[in-house]
Amino acid sequence: MKPVRLAILGLGTVGGGALKLLQENATEIRRRTGREIQITYVGTRRPRPDLDLDPSIKQSSDLLDIVRQPDVDVVVEVMGGIHPAYEIIMEAIKHGKQVVTANKALLAEHGNELFKAADDHHVQIAYEAAVAGGIPIIKVIREGLAANKIEWLAGIINGTGNFILTEMREKGRAFADVLKEAQELGYAEADPTFDVEGIDAAHKLTILASCAFGIPLQFDKVYTEGISKITAQDVAYAEDLGYRIKHLGIARRSAKGIELRVHPTLIPEEKLIANVNGVKNAVLVQSNAVGSTLYYGAGAGAGPTASAVVADVIDIVRDIIYTEDGAGTIPQLAFEALADTPILTSEEMTTGYYIRLNAEDQTGVLADVTTILSRAGIGIDAIMQQPRLKDLIPIVILTDPVVESKMNDALSQIQALPAIHGEIIRIRLELLEN
Ligand code: HSE
């Protein structure tokens, strides 16, 4: 039986990891698939004569040429970035190649066109490695939970951000120092603002929501907020109240439409997901038959991401073997279905809030604040007055869930009170209950 022939494009953290894994576990993989996987090409954007590759592997920096070659059945794109990855994958698809990609930015922003082209050319795009590193969450949604209607999911889906928040909370380390370490460990994106400003998590949430709800990929509609404004003060106050601050990606169905949002979130400290620390990721899925299930594992790094890439390669090899018509078994993300389902604006979304304000030590300030909240119909869950800081009293309020437009109105009224100084801090809060 002839081997399935692979081209690996990109030999950074993920590509290098995938190459190593395919070689180290070749016997195991062969036993599982029943077919040899032969790496015929390795492509890098710049020539890399320093690479000590097996002489049977051809090396080239003409990536478009590689994907046109007849001795390539599967293209593994692990170079990252939108261009030229988009053009190269399109070319691969047009040449009838199966595609495995870890490129969340590309799928989130251009996936609808790519999946359409793949459908037109009867090939598949596999993308397990694009979301939550080594956790097989795409497989969970498309196979394990296939019988369920997914109601919502909430995930810690950026390892770098979780690593930073964990180190800040546990060791009081400075933000920049932890970020540097995440870069050295190969966790962070080429542009680390993608990690700390929530863009990477928004890319992943876009893909998860499309898988979970069957909606088109709509990255531009994800409300996105990062962790760069989280202070040690808020982390400590949240902890005093029994909460942890985590950066969550949340996709939720509601009567009016779908919420897609990525932001720092207070969650009760006793929840399992509140205790997911370091570079680990976790995705909590609430589905109508099985209830809530939680998936946990390493969300970044060479080994975990390569594990997901190679699992996709194995799936495709199995498809090549068992599927005569080439339709495959990996559901391709819906590019037209349910395109009318509204995605809610952030003003229409509903969450609880942690609010921190600095007030002058005057009689009646707290009453003014609580009156504004109560007139707006916003329920208060807890109020905590902290010791005086620089002549001002920090007040922390936790609220019940409220539509954001109402909260915005109330906060502008509170901000206008003469006794309130500085910017009011707000962090969303989720109880993560059914
Ligand atoms: N920068 C990403 C993270 C890598 O930290 O989660 C994995 O997608």
Side-chain angles (χ1 to χ4, degrees), residues 2 47 54 83 114-115 132 134 136 151 153 169 172 211 221 232 248 272 285 311 340 384 416:
K2 72 178 174 50
D54 187 293
H83 301 289
L114 290 167
F115 282 104
E151 289 157 2
L153 58 85
R169 186 179 65 79
C211 276
K221 295 200 181 137
L248 290 190
L272 279 177
V285 186
D340 301 341
M384 189 174 65

Side-chain angles (χ1 to χ4, degrees), residues 252-259 340-345 347-350 402-406:
R252 190 195 302 268
R253 288 179 201 271
S254 75
K256 289 192 189 149
I258 289 173
E259 294 185 4
D340 301 341
T341 312
I343 306 296
L344 303 186
T345 64
E347 291 253 302
E348 295 169 304
M349 294 177 186
T350 302
V402 55
V403 167
E404 184 161 322
S405 55
K406 267 195 193 177

Side-chain angles (χ1 to χ4, degrees), residues 104 129-130 132-133 157-161 186-189 195 200 204 279 281 299-301 305:
K104 55 243 161 161
I157 45 178
N158 181 266
T160 303
Y187 301 155
E189 294 303 298
D195 294 298
D200 178 74
K204 293 167 181 166
V279 72
N281 281 196
T305 316

Side-chain angles (χ1 to χ4, degrees), residues 201-212:
H203 285 145
K204 293 167 181 166
L205 186 75
T206 303
I207 298 169
L208 277 178
S210 186
C211 276

Side-chain angles (χ1 to χ4, degrees), residues 270-329:
E270 70 277 7
K271 294 276 168 193
L272 279 177
I273 197 169
N275 294 284
V276 171
N277 291 320
V279 72
K280 292 289 198 291
N281 281 196
V283 183
L284 180 60
V285 186
Q286 178 68 35
S287 339
N288 68 344
V290 71
S292 89
T293 49
L294 177 69
Y295 307 91
Y296 167 84
T305 316
S307 160
V309 167
V310 175
D312 272 348
V313 170
I314 292 171
D315 267 356
I316 285 193
V317 172
R318 287 175 175 150
D319 284 349
I320 289 174
I321 297 169
Y322 297 113
T323 313
E324 285 177 5
D325 67 1
T329 55

